Amino acid sequence: MIRFEDVHKTFGTNAVLRGLNLEVDKGTSMVIIGGSGTGKSVALKCVLGLVTPDSGRIYVDGQDTASGGDRDAFLARFGMLFQGAALFDSLPVWQNVAFRLLRGALKRPKAEAREIAVEKLRRVGLGPEVADRFPAELSGGMQKRVGLARAIAADPEVIFFDEPTTGLDPIMSGVINDLIREIVVEMGATAVTITHDMSSVRAIADNVAMLHAGKIRWTGPVAQMDASGDPYLDQFIHGRAEGPIDPVR
Amino acid sequence: MSVIAHLLAGIGRRVLAALATIGRVVLFTARAFSHMLRPPFYGRELLNALLHIGWLSLPVVGMTAIFTGAALALQIYAGGSRFDAQAVVPQIVALGIVRELGPVLVGLMIAARVTSSIAAEIATMKVTEQIDALTTLSTHPMKYLVAPRVLAALICVPLLVGLGDIIGILGGYTVAVNNLDFNGAVYIRNTVDFLEPLDVISSLVKGAVFGVIAATMGCYAGMQSGRGAQGVGRATKSSVEAASVLILAANVALTGAFFSI
C-alpha cells in the first residue's frame, strides 16, 4: 500500500532520513518507533507532501506520490492525528471534526456534516454536548479524541497517528490505544503510527519498524519484536541507557 | 586587505539575503492574489477577516484621526499666527489629513493592530501544526488563510482611510470652532472648496496599498515563523517592523507618483 524507496531528507546540515526503505501492507497497522529526532514524523510528512524528500520515491498503491495528479483526491484518502491534535482554535469542535465535510469535494449539507461529526465524536467516546465547545475548553485527552474523530471523519483508507499518547496519563493512553485499534479493525484502514510509548506499540501494532540514524534498523511482526536479537531494538524497547544507541544525540 | 574582503563579503551576504527576502515576499504576494481569483472561495473566512480588519479597527482609527486632526489644527494655527496666516487652518488641515496623515496613520495603526494579530495567529497555527492539518484536510493554507485576509484588507483599509480623513477633518473643525473662534460653516466650505478629487483618490489608493502591505506582511511572517513561543514572538515583531517601514516607503513612492511636479 505504502512503499518508501531510498528516501533521503536533510534539513540544513542535519541529515534526517538517509535512505529510508519501508513497506506498509494494506489493512495492516504499522508502528514506527525510534528516538527523538530520528525522522519518524518527517517520513509521514513526506507521504502527505508536507515535506518534499531530497531524493528517493514514495509509492501509494503503486503510484509515485511525486507524479502529480489530483492532490485533493489523493489527500482525501488520508486521515491524520497530529501530536498536539492540531485542532483549529477558531472553530467549534463539530466544525473541526467535519472540516473536510464542510468544504471541497466531500462537501455535505451543514446539518448532515454536523450529524456525522456528532456520530464520530460518539465513536471516540465524546457526547454531543462537546460538539459546540471550542478546543481551548477541552482537556488534552479530549482534544486527542477530537483529533481522532477528525482523522476518521471522512472514512479514510489510510490513517497516520503521530505520537497519539504523548502527554496523556496512562489511563487515557490506554483509552486512545484501544480506540485506535478498534477504529483500524472496524474501518479496515491501513494505519501508520509513530510513538515512543511501548505499551502503545503492543496495543496498536501488527508490524513494527525501528528507525535509527535515518534508516530502518529492524522491521517485523510485533510478536517477534522481543526476540529480534537486534541490540538497538532491545535497548529501545527496554528503555536502557546502556547500549549501542547514544542517549545524548 | 583580508579585513576589507571580509567586510565586503559580509555586506554582500546581507544584501543577497535582503534581495532574496524581497523576492520571496513579492512571490508570496503574487500567489496570494492568484488564489484570490481562483476557486474555491472561502466566504466565511472573508467575512471574518472583514469584521476583524475593518469593523473592529474603527475605534482605534477614529481616535487616531480625531486627535491628529485636532492637534494639527492647533499647530497650524500657532505656526500660521507667526506670519498672520491663521485663516488657512481649514485648508491645511484638510490637505494634511487627506493627502498624508490620514492614510499613513491609519496604515500604521492597521500595521500595529492587524498585522501583529495576523502574524501571531498564523505563526501559532504553524507552530501547533494547524497549517499542516489544513493541508492534510485538502485545504490550501494560502487560499484559506492568506487570500481572505489580503482581500479583506484591500477592501477595508481604503474605507477606513476615507472615514479617518473625515473624522480627522472633524477633529480639526471641533478645535477650530470651539477654541480658535472659527465660523463652522465657513470652515466646512473652505475645506470642501479646497480639496480636489485627486487628493481624495490618492488617499484611498494609499489606503488600498497600505492595507495589502499590512495583511501580506502579517501572513508572510506567520507562515515563515520559527518554532516555539520565540518563533511566534519574532514573527509578530518582524511583521510589524516590515509592514511599518514598507508603508512609509510606499507612501513616499505614491506621493511622488500622484503629486510630482
Side-chain angles (χ1 to χ4, degrees):
Chain A
M1 171 96 196
I2 302 174
R3 194 166 81 247
F4 295 85
E5 275 186 12
D6 197 28
V7 175
H8 289 73
K9 180 66 192 177
T10 299
F11 295 99
T13 56
N14 182 22
V16 178
L17 299 178
R18 305 176 198 174
L20 173 65
N21 290 289
L22 181 66
E23 192 150 353
V24 182
D25 294 330
K26 196 177 180 90
T28 63
S29 174
M30 166 68 81
V31 175
I32 303 176
I33 57 173
S36 300
T38 52
K40 304 183 297 295
S41 296
V42 173
L44 289 194
K45 288 182 178 179
C46 283
V47 178
L48 296 170
L50 299 173
V51 171
T52 309
D54 298 331
S55 64
R57 302 256 176 229
I58 300 169
Y59 297 93
V60 175
D61 275 345
Q63 192 183 352
D64 189 344
T65 56
S67 65
D70 186 346
R71 184 142 180 78
D72 283 356
F74 173 76
L75 287 169
R77 299 174 66 188
F78 292 85
M80 179 151 181
L81 170 59
F82 287 85
Q83 189 175 342
L87 301 177
F88 305 123
D89 307 315
S90 56
L91 300 178
V93 162
W94 82 265
Q95 289 188 24
N96 265 280
V97 175
F99 192 90
R100 206 194 272 279
L101 306 175
L102 289 167
R103 43 187 72 73
L106 301 176
K107 188 171 179 178
R108 314 270 177 93
K110 202 170 177 181
E112 188 186 337
R114 184 186 165 95
E115 204 175 298
I116 293 170
V118 169
E119 167 55 23
K120 296 296 178 185
L121 286 169
R122 188 202 60 73
R123 181 70 197 81
V124 298
L126 294 171
E129 71 282 358
V130 175
D132 291 312
R133 290 199 211 159
F134 281 86
E137 298 172 289
L138 307 178
S139 68
M142 289 167 89
Q143 287 186 7
K144 279 269 161 108
R145 284 195 268 178
V146 174
L148 192 52
R150 185 174 69 183
I152 62 171
D155 298 322
E157 295 168 49
V158 186
I159 313 176
F160 291 159
F161 302 98
D162 189 357
E163 307 206 12
T165 57
T166 298
L168 301 181
D169 65 62
I171 296 169
M172 187 52 68
S173 295
V175 169
I176 296 286
N177 287 337
D178 291 346
L179 273 172
I180 290 173
R181 188 72 220 174
E182 279 172 34
I183 286 166
V184 169
V185 169
E186 192 180 281
M187 291 173 60
T190 305
V192 182
T193 307
I194 288 168
T195 186
H196 300 112
D197 180 353
M198 293 314 297
S199 62
S200 286
V201 177
R202 294 178 199 287
I204 297 170
D206 294 321
N207 298 301
V208 178
M210 183 184 180
L211 192 56
H212 179 72
K215 291 182 176 180
I216 295 297
R217 174 79 206 175
W218 182 89
T219 186
V222 65
Q224 293 174 14
M225 182 175 68
D226 291 309
S228 70
D230 185 282
Y232 288 81
L233 182 62
D234 275 350
Q235 184 189 354
F236 190 85
I237 62 179
H238 294 109
R240 293 192 204 105
E242 299 293 323
I245 304 173
D246 186 354
V248 182
R249 292 186 293 277
Chain B
M1 185 62 191
S2 70
V3 174
I4 294 171
H6 275 294
L7 192 68
L8 288 175
I11 292 169
R13 269 195 299 275
R14 281 173 187 273
V15 170
L16 285 176
L19 289 174
T21 304
I22 290 168
R24 279 194 293 271
V25 171
V26 170
L27 284 175
F28 184 86
T29 310
R31 283 173 58 208
F33 274 93
S34 88
H35 280 287
M36 263 182 226
L37 302 172
R38 287 180 288 140
F41 304 110
Y42 296 108
R44 192 185 152 139
E45 293 308 305
L46 178 64
L47 284 177
N48 278 340
L50 288 170
L51 177 73
H52 179 71
I53 297 171
W55 181 251
L56 297 179
S57 295
L58 278 175
V60 73
V61 165
M63 301 268 235
T64 305
I66 200 159
F67 291 137
T68 304
L72 192 61
L74 290 171
Q75 285 281 15
I76 291 163
Y77 187 84
S81 65
R82 292 180 192 171
F83 41 92
D84 203 23
Q86 299 97 315
V88 296
V89 166
Q91 291 89 335
I92 303 297
V93 165
L95 206 63
I97 290 285
V98 173
R99 279 192 178 192
E100 197 63 34
L101 290 172
V104 170
L105 289 178
V106 169
L108 292 176
M109 293 313 289
I110 292 294
R113 206 189 88 80
V114 174
T115 307
S116 57
S117 151
I118 290 176
E121 185 182 0
I122 294 183
T124 305
M125 288 184 76
K126 187 171 183 211
V127 168
T128 55
E129 295 186 302
Q130 291 178 52
I131 305 267
D132 284 347
L134 271 179
T135 306
T136 64
L137 292 164
S138 306
T139 304
H140 201 301
M142 285 295 289
K143 207 173 271 301
Y144 185 77
L145 294 175
V146 178
R149 284 164 172 79
V150 177
L151 180 58
L154 179 65
I155 295 167
C156 283
V157 179
L159 297 176
L160 288 171
V161 166
L163 204 63
D165 290 347
I166 294 167
I167 295 172
I169 289 169
L170 282 178
Y173 167 89
T174 307
V175 167
V177 170
N178 293 316
N179 301 78
L180 308 175
D181 294 329
F182 275 78
N183 177 286
V186 173
Y187 190 101
I188 294 290
R189 195 173 60 242
N190 284 345
T191 299
V192 173
D193 288 348
F194 190 71
L195 282 176
E196 292 178 3
L198 186 63
D199 299 329
V200 178
I201 290 168
S202 75
S203 191
L204 301 181
V205 170
K206 281 183 177 183
V209 173
F210 298 167
V212 169
I213 290 172
T216 306
M217 292 317 296
C219 294
Y220 178 78
M223 296 292 251
Q224 299 293 319
S225 162
R227 288 182 177 181
Q230 201 174 34
V232 176
R234 275 196 193 137
T236 309
K237 184 189 70 165
S238 67
S239 69
V240 176
E241 285 172 355
S244 303
V245 171
L246 284 174
I247 283 170
L248 294 172
N251 182 52
V252 176
L254 288 169
T255 302
F258 276 108
F259 302 110
S260 58
I261 300 164

